[in-house]
Amino acid sequence: MMMSFFDQFASPSFLGIPLIAVAIALPWILFPTPPSRWLNNRLITLQTWFINRFTNQLLLPLNVGGHKWALLFASLMVFLITINMLGLLPYTFTPTTQLSLNMGFAVPLWLATVIIGMRNQPTVALGHLLPEGTPIPLIPVLIMIETISLFIRPLALGVRLTANLTAGHLLIQLIATAVFVLLPMMPTVAILTGAVLFLLTLLEVAVAMIQAYVFVLLLSLYLQENV
């Protein structure tokens, strides 16, 4: 019974072929494309407004050099939100519950920000490893601590997104199982538990959007330090 709770996180396959590629490609098919008409419909207008607001808010603290990342950040944000939201539907698979996928996003993007900092302003980038005014005996220790914290950043990005989505899915499945078990024996308790499940589902919708935003926001903060 306990093992079946984690079966939802196993990558589905058909005839031995993993279907995670289909789950990753599906969100791009659902996005509406702008028509050739002068006036767009409400869905495209809402999508354009959301992307513009998000991009302006995200790139506000960055200088002009960091604005080149606007398209990448906006695409990643919409992609993560769509995958997380589709994963809340019944009988679906959420690719972002896989640590390997999240690390595949986190490590290259984090590494790109570090390389940009080392190329454009190496003195400032290396200066982050040693705070100003540090006593001389503490310099080696602080450099080691700051270096470790620098390399932990991509791991924290991937683990944060994976852990939050995995915990939410597990909690929803546990409460849903409790509702089905209690319904024949204690209908009143089952109804109250179902109300809690509904509220938890609304919370998970918010978590799915917030975690995608936090993932991209932290990447923008890492970029801000290096441009």
Side-chain angles (χ1 to χ4, degrees):
M1 184 65 179
M2 293 303 297
M3 291 300 296
S4 63
F5 287 151
F6 294 91
D7 290 344
Q8 59 177 319
F9 305 116
S11 178
S13 59
F14 180 71
L15 298 178
I17 302 174
L19 298 181
I20 188 171
V22 178
I24 294 176
L26 182 61
W28 300 113
I29 303 175
L30 301 178
F31 295 151
T33 56
S36 58
R37 300 190 300 269
W38 283 90
L39 295 177
N40 294 326
N41 55 33
R42 292 182 178 88
L43 182 59
I44 298 241
T45 303
L46 180 63
Q47 175 183 278
T48 305
W49 174 85
F50 169 75
I51 293 177
N52 288 337
R53 291 292 299 174
F54 165 74
T55 306
N56 292 335
Q57 184 70 25
L58 193 66
L59 301 181
L60 190 61
L62 297 178
N63 56 26
V64 180
H67 293 178
K68 301 175 183 178
W69 290 59
L71 179 60
L72 176 62
F73 283 157
S75 302
L76 182 60
M77 172 74 174
V78 175
F79 178 71
L80 290 178
I81 286 181
T82 308
I83 281 186
N84 295 346
M85 297 292 287
L86 290 177
L88 294 175
L89 297 176
Y91 303 105
T92 56
F93 171 68
T94 312
T96 43
T97 56
Q98 305 295 312
L99 183 60
S100 57
L101 176 67
N102 296 332
M103 293 300 294
F105 283 129
V107 173
L109 294 175
W110 164 82
L111 187 59
T113 61
V114 174
I115 292 175
I116 287 176
M118 292 295 184
R119 186 187 65 179
N120 295 339
Q121 43 185 10
T123 304
V124 177
L126 294 176
H128 292 144
L129 301 179
L130 184 62
E132 187 177 357
T134 304
I136 295 179
L138 296 180
I139 288 179
V141 178
L142 282 179
I143 290 178
M144 293 177 57
I145 293 175
E146 292 295 331
T147 304
I148 293 173
S149 67
L150 178 65
F151 284 96
I152 283 179
R153 285 179 174 181
L155 181 62
L157 278 177
V159 170
R160 180 186 293 107
L161 182 59
T162 304
N164 280 281
L165 295 179
T166 302
H169 284 64
L170 279 176
L171 196 55
I172 287 178
Q173 186 171 2
L174 285 170
I175 297 180
T177 304
V179 171
F180 282 107
V181 171
L182 293 174
L183 192 58
M185 299 181 295
M186 294 178 287
T188 305
V189 178
I191 292 174
L192 294 176
T193 309
V196 174
L197 177 62
F198 175 75
L199 296 177
L200 180 62
T201 304
L202 295 181
L203 178 63
E204 279 303 307
V205 171
V207 168
M209 295 186 290
I210 291 173
Q211 288 303 317
Y213 175 73
V214 168
F215 188 91
V216 180
L217 177 63
L218 290 177
L219 282 175
S220 70
L221 293 179
Y222 300 157
L223 179 64
Q224 182 181 354
E225 296 180 355
N226 295 284
V227 295

